[in-house]
């Protein structure tokens, strides 16, 4: 990957700042037989600076997550270099705070896991530089994590016997909307993905068209959460919406599309079909949009379940829903209905672990460390990284 001068400067500053904050410390190893494994996870793929220490029995010893809503709200979306600058400021303190909460030093950590991609390059490079520096200085194994695999495996934390492979996973976030069968760590079969925008982007942009202020919350938040909140007061029937991919040539396609309903709302605002300063208009439009988006997700997930059974010849054990939009209660209720119809459990991480966080990165570190899936200290970030490019792991090969 070729970095700009600004991005290279960010890498060097991140490394120097991290070493100054944490100090140079001795190296020690831990015996897995005496206690559960302990992994430090770092996440900086977008606008959350997060770290966590997680154990192989599923315990969260500590976690820290610093959001940037106040930085980006006035710009109407994430500004990559502003996000990277804030990561650069926060990552050393976030790591130190997490270790202090866990009452640990780096000597007590068994491995360092860090998001490698996909994501914003300038953001990824800050976290990756921090993770590589920590692992190399303290002679700890390094594990590069695929951000979306982390969402897909999050539901297994501390529940490996309950959430058994293979299962169908619906990943719904601001960066991705896709369905896949999770056969194992590093082994996934992609079924459907968005043709255009993600469902998370759709929620955020429609919220902006409606003039909704972001919710500033350390557990979820932003424009999409504001839309969900106001939709509770709305009448969805007042503003009929076109159902995406409902024509004869797309109705059986398990993919997704959200650009049409986004454009529909934009046209409504241009035509002044609603008053964006009126609470009831906002609530009714939010309810109509959310109902349409949720119905679309349910229909396409039903097709994904059929595809898994009839095309992949795979009997899935559960329907797992993860990613930031999985914290939306209307989405959960709709997909729970679908899961029950198919005699499957619906499994979702707690809402606070559906959005980007260090816990999910640390947990994938545990899953990979158990299998010996480690990476060299010179790994680079991967901006665009389709999840199905991960291949079943063979010992002796690079894990990613």
């Amino acid at each position: 990957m070729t970095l700009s001068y600004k991005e290279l400067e960010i890498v060097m500053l991140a490394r120097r700042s991290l070493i100054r904050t944490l100090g140079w410390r001795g190296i020690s190893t831990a015996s897995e037989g005496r206690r559960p494994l302990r992994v430090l996870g770092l996440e900086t793929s977008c606008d959350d600076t997060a770290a966590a220490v997680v154990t192989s029995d599923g315990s969260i010893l500590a976690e820290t997550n610093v959001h940037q809503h106040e930085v980006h709200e006035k710009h109407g979306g994430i500004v990559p270099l502003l996000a990277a600058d804030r990561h650069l400021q926060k990552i050393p303190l976030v790591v130190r705070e997490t270790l202090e909460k866990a009452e640990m030093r780096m000597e007590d950590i068994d491995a360092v896991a860090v998001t490698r991609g996909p994501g914003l390059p300038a953001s990824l490079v800050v976290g990756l530089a921090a993770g590589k520096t920590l692992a190399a200085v303290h002679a700890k194994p390094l594990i590069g994590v695929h951000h979306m695999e982390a969402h897909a495996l999050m539901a297994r934390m501390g529940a490996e016997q309950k959430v058994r492979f293979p299962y169908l996973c619906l990943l719904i976030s601001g960066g991705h909307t896709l369905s896949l069968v999770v056969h194992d760590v590093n082994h996934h079969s992609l079924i459907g993905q968005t043709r255009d925008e993600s469902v998370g982007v759709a929620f955020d942009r429609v919220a902006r068209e409606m003039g909704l202020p972001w919710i500033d919350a350390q557990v979820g938040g932003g424009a999409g959460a504001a839309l969900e909140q106001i939709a509770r007061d709305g009448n969805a029937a007042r503003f009929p919406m076109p159902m995406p991919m409902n024509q004869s040539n797309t109705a059986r396609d398990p993919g997704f599309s959200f650009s049409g309903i986004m454009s529909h709302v934009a046209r409504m605002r241009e035509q002044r079909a609603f008053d964006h300063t009126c609470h009831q208009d906002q609530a009714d439009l939010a309810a109509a949009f959310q109902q349409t988006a949720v119905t679309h997700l349910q229909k396409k997930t039903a097709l994904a379940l059929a595809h898994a059974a009839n095309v992949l010849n795979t009997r899935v054990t559960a329907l797992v829903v993860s990613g930031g939009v999985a914290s939306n209660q209307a989405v959960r209720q709709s997909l729970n209905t679908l899961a029950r119809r198919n005699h499957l459990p619906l499994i979702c991480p707690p809402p606070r672990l559906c959005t980007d966080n260090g816990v999910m990165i640390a947990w994938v570190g545990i899953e990979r460390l158990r299998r010996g899936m480690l990476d060299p200290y010179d790994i680079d970030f991967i901006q665009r990284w389709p999840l199905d490019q991960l291949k079943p792991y063979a010992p002796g090969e690079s894990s990613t």
Side-chain angles (χ1 to χ4, degrees):
M1 297 286 182
T2 301
L3 299 180
S4 67
Y5 175 81
K6 177 65 175 176
E7 290 167 336
L8 285 170
E9 183 183 35
I10 287 171
V11 174
M12 298 307 298
L13 286 171
R15 288 178 175 172
R16 292 170 189 161
S17 180
L18 194 73
I19 290 171
R20 280 198 305 269
T21 303
L22 296 177
W24 291 74
R25 295 174 179 163
I27 297 171
S28 66
T29 57
S31 169
E32 183 181 351
R34 291 198 304 265
R35 57 164 175 75
L37 295 168
R38 299 186 289 213
V39 170
L40 172 67
L42 307 179
E43 157 62 21
T44 64
S45 65
C46 189
D47 65 328
D48 289 316
T49 311
V53 177
V54 171
T55 67
S56 53
D57 62 5
S59 298
I60 303 172
L61 301 185
E63 60 176 312
T64 308
N65 197 338
V66 177
H67 300 284
Q68 302 180 14
H69 295 156
E70 78 287 354
V71 175
H72 303 287
E73 180 179 8
K74 60 187 176 184
H75 299 286
I78 307 303
V79 180
L81 283 180
L82 290 180
D85 284 341
R86 184 56 65 93
H87 287 311
L88 178 61
Q89 296 170 21
K90 298 297 183 181
I91 189 69
L93 300 176
V94 165
V95 172
R96 182 163 192 156
E97 181 180 338
T98 302
L99 291 173
E100 288 177 348
K101 286 178 182 176
E103 299 182 344
M104 289 183 178
R105 296 162 63 90
M106 279 303 299
E107 293 92 319
D108 305 313
I109 298 297
D110 295 308
V112 177
V114 58
T115 303
R116 186 179 180 186
L120 301 175
S123 291
L124 287 169
V125 78
V126 174
L128 192 58
K132 289 161 64 174
T133 301
L134 280 170
V137 166
H138 297 281
K140 301 296 182 180
L142 176 69
I143 301 162
V145 173
H146 192 296
H147 180 84
M148 297 312 295
E149 183 176 51
H151 279 302
L153 296 178
M154 181 69 251
R156 281 175 45 82
M157 188 179 75
E160 296 99 312
Q161 298 306 312
K162 178 182 177 183
V163 187
R164 303 185 316 277
F165 299 120
Y167 54 84
L168 184 79
C169 183
L170 178 66
L171 294 177
I172 44 178
S173 70
H176 305 271
T177 301
L178 54 89
S179 58
L180 67 156
V181 172
V182 181
H183 300 281
D184 202 342
V185 177
N186 234 55
H187 184 193
H188 314 279
S189 295
L190 180 65
I191 297 177
Q193 61 186 329
T194 183
R195 294 181 167 194
D196 37 65
E197 299 290 357
S198 70
V199 62
V201 165
F203 267 83
D204 288 349
R205 288 190 185 170
V206 169
R208 289 200 297 272
E209 291 286 354
M210 294 166 54
L212 298 178
W214 289 24
I215 292 178
D216 184 12
Q218 285 295 302
V219 181
L227 188 148
E228 177 189 4
Q229 185 178 82
I230 199 170
R232 296 170 188 152
D233 300 330
N235 172 19
R238 184 177 164 210
F239 292 112
M241 292 271 174
M243 183 61 62
M245 298 180 67
N246 205 34
Q247 304 300 315
S248 59
N249 61 331
T250 56
R252 303 302 300 171
D253 185 331
F256 305 87
S257 175
F258 295 94
S259 62
I261 47 176
M262 289 164 55
S263 298
H264 181 77
V265 173
R267 286 193 299 271
M268 288 179 66
R269 176 160 184 169
E270 290 172 1
Q271 297 165 4
R272 299 185 179 181
F274 66 94
D275 181 355
H276 69 275
T277 66
C278 171
H279 174 84
Q280 196 57 53
D281 277 13
Q282 289 179 323
D284 292 345
L285 183 58
F289 165 78
Q290 180 171 263
Q291 182 182 83
T292 303
V294 168
T295 301
H296 180 51
L297 288 173
Q298 187 195 65
K299 285 183 175 182
K300 296 305 183 178
T301 304
L303 292 174
L305 286 168
H307 183 96
N310 302 326
V311 178
L312 300 179
N313 296 315
T314 299
R315 183 176 181 179
V316 297
T317 64
L319 172 58
V320 171
V321 184
S322 194
V325 182
S327 61
N328 181 294
Q329 293 303 307
V331 170
R332 289 190 179 216
Q333 292 169 11
S334 175
L335 293 175
N336 188 49
T337 299
L338 174 65
R340 288 184 176 182
R341 193 185 304 154
N342 286 271
H343 309 290
L344 294 171
L346 175 71
I347 301 173
C348 304
R352 69 182 181 84
L353 296 179
C354 285
T355 55
D356 294 350
N357 61 84
V359 172
M360 69 182 191
I361 305 303
W363 177 253
V364 175
I366 293 287
E367 295 262 32
R368 287 177 169 269
L369 186 60
R370 283 171 168 168
R371 294 164 172 79
M373 300 167 70
L374 309 178
D375 291 295
Y377 294 144
D378 63 353
I379 59 171
D380 204 349
F381 71 89
I382 305 176
Q383 178 183 4
R384 294 180 178 84
W385 194 4
L387 192 51
D388 57 349
Q389 282 187 0
L390 297 177
K391 302 300 180 184
Y393 177 67
E397 296 179 354
S398 173
S399 69
T400 52

